[in-house]
Amino acid sequence: MVENTVVEGVRWDTSEQCVVVSVRPGSRHRWRCGECGRPAPCYDAGRGQRRWRDLDHGTVRVFLEADAPRVDCRVHGPTVTAVPWGRHGAGHTRAFDQQTAWMAAECSKTATAELMRTSWRTVGRIVARYVADRDRALDRLAALSRIGIDEISHRKGQKYMTVVVDHDTARVVWMADGHGKDVLHRFFDDLGAERAARLTHISADGAGWIADVLALRTPGAVRVMDPFHVVAWATDALDTERRASWNRARRESGDRETARALKDSRFALWKNEADLTDRQVAKLAWIQVTDPRLHRAWRLKEALRMVFTLARTRPTAALKALDHWIGWARRCRIDAFVDLQRKIMRHYDAIRSALITGMSNGLIESTNTKTRLIIRRGFGFHSADAIIALVMLTLAGDKPTLPGRQPATR
C-alpha cells in the first residue's frame, strides 16, 4: 500500500461505512519532525489517533489510522511527527494526493472532485500541496537567460494574468494575477537584481508598460519584438483601410454592390497568400482592378509578413527587406500604414532583434492557449489563483503520474 509502513490490522467501521487500516511508520522513519524530517525526541502523545484518507478500494472508502504523537524539534519546536504515507498537515495519503493531482491535470476539477469523493476546494488545496512538494528543492527563477513575457485575459471585464516562460526549458517560471508595471516589477523583485542582470533576451509584444519596466530593471537584455504581433498590426491596418474603402464606395460613390463586395472581402485580405482559395484569389484580382489603393494595402501586409518568413533562412536579407518596407510604407499615402511604419520605427531595435535571433512569443502563446483550455475545461474559475495553481501543475514542471506508474518515456 505505502512504503516504510507497518500494517497492524484491518477492520470495518460500521458507523462510517469504510475500511480502516491500522498502521505505524517503520522503525527508521519514526520520531521525525513533520516539518523538516530530522530525528527528534518524543514530546507528548499529541491528540491521539488520527486518520488519513487513502485511495478507495472499489466503491469502498479506505482510511489509514495511526497514532500522531509530537516530537520536540530543535528548529520547529513541538511538532506532529512525520509519517511516510502522508504530507505534514494533510488529511490524505500521498497516493491520494498524487492521483487527485493527475486527474486535475487531465480533466476538470468538478469531475475530479466527483470521482475522488471530495470537495472542489479540497482538490485545489491538494494541487497546491502537490506543486509545493514537487518544487520544494527547485528554484524556477534560477539560471534564466532567455524569457518571454505576455498577458492573458481570464475573465470578462479586463481581468488579466501575467505569464513569464523560459525559452530554454519551455516551462512557465512565474505567473501572477493582474497586469501592468506593478505586477511586472513584482516578478523582477522575486528574480533579484543579480539574476536580472544575467538575462540576455526577453521576448514580448509592443506593450509600453513592458518596455518601460525592462528598460529600468534589466537594461542589458535584448528586447525581442514578437513577430506575430507585428504582423497582427499590419492586418489591423489593412482592415482599417478595407473599412475606409467600403465607406467610400457606400457613401461617396453610392455603389452598394461594390460596397457589399468589399465588405465580404475581409477573409480574402486577411489570409496568407499561399493559403488562398481559388475564389479568394479571384476576389483579390477583382479588388486590384476595382480599388488599387486597397490592393496596395494588402501587398504591404503580405510584404511585411514575408520579411519574417525570410528571416528564418536569411536574416541579413530580412533586415534589408524590413528597411525597404519601412520606406515603401512611409511613401504609400495610406494613413493606416503610414502610422504603422511610425509604430515599427518606435520598436525598430526590438524587431531587428527578432529577425536576427529568430525568437518569438510562440512558446508563450502556446502556454496561453493551454491556459484557456484549462479555463474552458473547468467552465470558468472564481479566482485567478485556481487557474495559476493548475497552470503551475501542468506547465511549470513534470506532470503528475498515477500512483505506481512510471512516467512515460519519449
Side-chain angles (χ1 to χ4, degrees), residues 341-353:
Q341 67 84 23
R342 293 194 186 108
K343 190 173 184 179
I344 287 177
M345 286 304 299
R346 290 197 297 270
H347 299 280
Y348 184 73
D349 291 338
I351 293 173
R352 281 180 60 92
S353 298

Side-chain angles (χ1 to χ4, degrees), residues 25-44:
S27 58
R28 293 185 179 181
H29 296 270
R30 299 183 68 186
W31 310 116
R32 292 179 178 270
C33 174
E35 293 281 355
C36 61
R38 295 187 181 95
C42 178
Y43 182 76
D44 61 19

Side-chain angles (χ1 to χ4, degrees), residues 274-407:
D275 299 329
L276 293 171
T277 64
D278 293 341
R279 184 175 179 180
Q280 290 167 341
V281 170
K283 174 73 76 172
L284 286 173
W286 174 83
I287 290 174
Q288 184 175 11
V289 175
T290 307
D291 194 334
R293 177 187 173 99
L294 179 58
H295 190 266
R296 188 164 72 253
W298 173 79
R299 287 171 54 204
L300 280 162
K301 186 267 292 186
E302 281 297 298
L304 184 58
R305 187 181 64 82
M306 289 305 298
V307 168
F308 292 99
T309 302
L310 181 62
R312 298 172 186 170
T313 54
R314 300 171 60 195
T316 304
L319 293 175
K320 294 180 180 179
L322 176 64
D323 292 336
H324 176 75
W325 186 93
I326 291 172
W328 181 19
R330 186 180 295 125
R331 301 186 303 269
C332 71
R333 292 179 293 179
I334 301 175
D335 292 342
F337 279 89
V338 173
D339 292 341
L340 174 60
Q341 67 84 23
R342 293 194 186 108
K343 190 173 184 179
I344 287 177
M345 286 304 299
R346 290 197 297 270
H347 299 280
Y348 184 73
D349 291 338
I351 293 173
R352 281 180 60 92
S353 298
L355 297 176
I356 294 170
T357 63
M359 285 181 61
S360 73
N361 257 14
L363 173 62
I364 202 166
E365 292 296 336
S366 172
T367 299
N368 290 346
T369 299
K370 294 172 183 176
T371 301
R372 293 186 187 98
L373 176 61
I374 289 172
I375 296 171
R376 187 164 61 249
R377 190 174 63 199
F379 299 99
F381 290 87
H382 296 294
S383 69
D385 292 338
I387 302 171
I388 292 172
L390 284 176
V391 170
M392 302 311 286
L393 174 70
T394 56
L395 304 177
D398 295 331
K399 293 179 66 173
T401 58
L402 286 170
R405 273 75 157 191
Q406 295 294 327

